[in-house]
Amino acid sequence: MTTALVIISVLLVITIVIAVSFYRKAYELRTDLTGAVMSRTEISNFLSRFASGINCEDGLDGALHSSACYVCEQVEAGSVAIYGLNDRKLTALGVCGEYPLFSGKAGESRQKLLEDLRIEVITAGEGFLGKVAESRHGELVPLASVDERFTEYPSCSTLGSVMAVPMLKEGIVYGVICAVDNRMLTGKPFSNAQFTRLKSLAAQVLMVQQLVQVYGEISRRERIDQELAFVRQFQNSLLPPASVTLGDFSVCARTASAKEVNGDFYDMVKIDGNRLLVMVGDACGKGMPACILASMTRSFARAMAAQFTTLSKFLRDVNANLNRDSDADRFITMGCCLIDKRGGLIEFGRAGHTDMVMHVHNHLRRLSPRGTALGMLPDEDAEFDTICLAVDHDTSIMLFSDGLSEALNYERTEFGTERLANAFHVACDHRDTPEEIIDDVMAAVHEFEYEQNDDQTMLLIRRS
């Protein structure tokens, strides 16, 4: 019986231990689950405040104001300010309540208060908040009115309890949250529980701050896209008709930009009843700077064409204006032909531009008179030669920007002027209209290149 009692007792103890362990595990699981649910609920609430804050009239600022108010409610503070840290400088991002830690007067509107706070940039390591950011440790001050670190503030005598915590992620400080209780009559400082609560909320505030940054970047890009779309539409509206005729000459042009806006341009300007000036330009660089330079050149060219005398003088006048009004490192190349239907004459001049390629009697000719890029040299140093020739019937002439000849394939090999001239030759042999010839040449380039990396323009003159 004694042995049996011992065995039963041992079994009973083991059962009790197992039961206690089971209930402890169950309690821990229930606690973890409750904590997870609470955490998920808090994050959901925080994101809801973030969304409603963005939708308010304050926009992105509203999201951080809402976050400050949420923190203020959760820690039962009188006021809260959220600071972002960038380049060792703390700047206020959001505020709730009559926040007193600044040099201005309390009681101002939230917008004015935030403006005042943003003026007072705090350097990491300086002052109470700067040292919290520098040390990466939060601090709880029971009564700030008797703490010498707060004497710089006009309302220091009425300050109650203050607590501040850094917003940390992977050891990096992204900002500081500061809560102030200026209700001194209660005589109750922030508790350790409130301080712990503020620490736990810091991660959620940081999440909102980073969401605001992402949202702001998206909004900024959308604004830029809208502005570029307007510029592109305006630029396209300035282009002349894609094709014109003058006697038995036909002129057709096509341009395709590599970016949102185009640094190439073409133009066709009627000098008088017998002469037509056609131009192809290619500004250095890409994007908006090239677009602006191309637009400037087109404007100068049209102004100079109104008082046209000779092609050489025309190029000199455009160069002088660009050299005077553009930066030293900005230039544009241009090829231009003056078509005179009387006698079928064409005068060609170029300013640092690609060659003119002629298809005549089933042969190719390339012409390249001397000329410096426009805007590079002052008038006294710039020289522009021109070539005048009689154009036979069934002759095609190609002007182009280097975006076509310098197109790259996957092996980083250029299409090259020879391939471009050969494609032009084949198209002239098999096509009848300038539009069809341009389509074939540009299709050959696009088939070769893996990606368009420069603006591409082609202008074709054909005498039928």
Side-chain angles (χ1 to χ4, degrees):
M1 289 294 293
T2 303
T3 302
L5 286 173
V6 170
I7 293 173
I8 291 172
S9 299
V10 170
L11 291 174
L12 183 60
V13 169
I14 292 173
T15 302
I16 293 172
V17 169
I18 292 173
V20 169
S21 177
F22 172 79
Y23 283 114
R24 181 182 297 165
K25 288 292 184 182
Y27 176 79
E28 289 175 355
L29 287 171
R30 187 167 61 251
T31 302
D32 290 343
L33 180 61
T34 302
V37 171
M38 290 178 62
S39 177
R40 186 179 66 180
T41 302
E42 283 185 355
I43 292 173
S44 176
N45 291 339
F46 226 72
L47 290 175
S48 176
R49 297 289 285 263
F50 166 72
S52 62
I54 281 184
N55 288 328
C56 78
E57 62 180 11
D58 290 333
L60 295 178
D61 285 343
L64 287 160
H65 290 322
S66 294
S67 298
C69 290
Y70 183 81
V71 172
C72 203
E73 295 168 5
Q74 294 297 308
V75 300
E76 299 179 330
S79 59
V80 165
I82 299 170
Y83 295 85
L85 181 66
N86 184 33
D87 195 22
R88 292 184 55 78
K89 303 291 183 182
L90 285 173
T91 306
L93 303 176
V95 66
C96 179
E98 296 183 8
Y99 184 74
L101 300 187
F102 75 110
S103 60
K105 295 184 295 183
E108 296 177 333
S109 67
R110 185 182 67 186
Q111 189 60 39
K112 181 62 169 62
L113 175 59
L114 187 60
E115 290 174 3
D116 290 342
L117 284 169
R118 284 176 173 169
I119 292 172
E120 299 183 2
V121 177
I122 303 168
T123 303
E126 297 180 3
F128 172 71
L129 294 173
K131 289 178 179 176
V132 168
E134 180 81 1
S135 67
R136 297 189 298 176
H137 294 290
E139 188 163 352
L140 170 59
V141 180
L143 188 59
S145 60
V146 296
D147 193 313
E148 62 181 12
R149 293 174 295 178
F150 297 88
T151 55
E152 60 180 298
Y153 301 115
S155 57
C156 67
S157 61
T158 62
L159 291 177
S161 187
V162 175
M163 56 181 176
V165 296
M167 292 188 289
L168 287 166
K169 184 178 180 181
E170 297 177 354
I172 300 174
V173 179
Y174 290 91
V176 171
I177 309 172
C178 182
V180 180
D181 187 356
N182 44 17
R183 297 169 295 178
M184 286 187 62
L185 294 176
T186 62
K188 294 172 60 178
F190 287 122
S191 65
N192 288 329
Q194 289 171 301
F195 186 48
T196 301
R197 181 72 174 143
L198 184 63
K199 289 179 181 178
S200 68
L201 289 169
Q204 297 175 38
V205 175
L206 176 58
M207 177 178 63
V208 170
Q209 180 191 351
Q210 294 179 335
L211 283 171
V212 165
Q213 290 174 346
V214 171
Y215 190 90
E217 180 63 20
I218 292 172
S219 299
R220 186 183 70 86
R221 289 180 180 177
E222 286 177 347
R223 288 194 300 272
I224 291 173
D225 289 343
Q226 290 172 356
E227 292 168 1
L228 288 175
F230 171 78
V231 172
R232 181 170 61 249
Q233 182 180 5
F234 180 71
Q235 187 181 34
N236 290 337
S237 71
L238 296 177
L239 290 174
S243 61
V244 297
T245 58
L246 180 71
D248 51 11
F249 283 96
S250 298
V251 183
C252 183
R254 194 78 48 77
T255 187
S257 59
K259 293 185 177 294
E260 291 81 0
V261 291
N262 203 331
D264 285 0
F265 80 95
Y266 68 85
D267 207 353
M268 308 168 193
V269 182
K270 187 177 181 181
I271 302 300
D272 53 41
N274 295 308
R275 295 181 298 171
L276 179 72
L277 179 65
V278 299
M279 298 167 277
V280 173
D282 181 3
C284 67
K286 301 181 183 68
M288 188 62 72
C291 169
I292 293 171
L293 185 58
S295 298
M296 285 176 59
T297 305
R298 182 179 181 275
S299 298
F300 287 142
R302 280 195 161 254
M304 297 303 104
Q307 50 192 11
F308 186 90
T309 54
T310 67
L311 188 57
S312 179
K313 186 177 186 305
F314 166 78
L315 290 170
R316 291 179 69 93
D317 289 342
V318 175
N319 175 75
N321 279 276
L322 281 174
N323 183 258
R324 182 193 64 219
D325 293 345
S326 61
D327 296 336
D329 59 344
R330 292 289 176 186
F331 62 89
I332 186 169
T333 67
M334 188 164 71
C336 47
C337 287
L338 179 66
I339 303 172
D340 192 336
K341 70 179 183 180
R342 297 168 299 184
L345 299 175
I346 285 185
E347 185 180 9
F348 172 60
R350 64 174 193 153
H353 201 68
T354 54
D355 297 348
M356 181 177 81
V357 182
M358 296 181 62
H359 182 267
V360 53
H361 302 311
N362 203 34
H363 289 85
L364 292 180
R365 291 181 61 189
R366 288 169 56 177
L367 302 177
S368 52
R370 292 185 305 170
T372 56
L374 300 174
M376 290 187 68
L377 299 175
D379 182 54
E380 58 271 17
D381 297 327
E383 295 184 5
F384 303 99
D385 294 339
T386 64
I387 297 174
C388 189
L389 60 155
V391 178
D392 293 339
H393 292 280
D394 296 324
T395 296
S396 296
I397 296 172
M398 177 176 65
L399 301 179
F400 60 94
S401 66
D402 61 14
L404 291 169
S405 57
E406 295 178 0
L408 300 173
N409 63 9
Y410 282 103
E411 286 74 36
R412 310 297 293 175
T413 300
E414 286 189 356
F415 190 67
T417 304
E418 290 299 327
R419 281 194 184 93
L420 186 65
N422 289 336
F424 175 56
H425 192 170
V426 171
C428 289
D429 288 344
H430 293 84
R431 300 298 183 184
D432 296 322
T433 67
E435 291 84 357
E436 291 174 334
I437 294 172
I438 288 181
D439 286 342
D440 278 13
V441 173
M442 297 193 83
V445 174
H446 295 160
E447 184 178 352
F448 175 86
E449 67 184 354
Y450 78 96
E451 180 183 27
Q452 183 180 347
N453 54 30
D454 197 3
D455 303 321
Q456 299 174 345
T457 302
M458 180 176 169
L459 185 145
L460 191 133
I461 305 168
R462 183 172 177 83
R463 189 180 187 195
S464 58

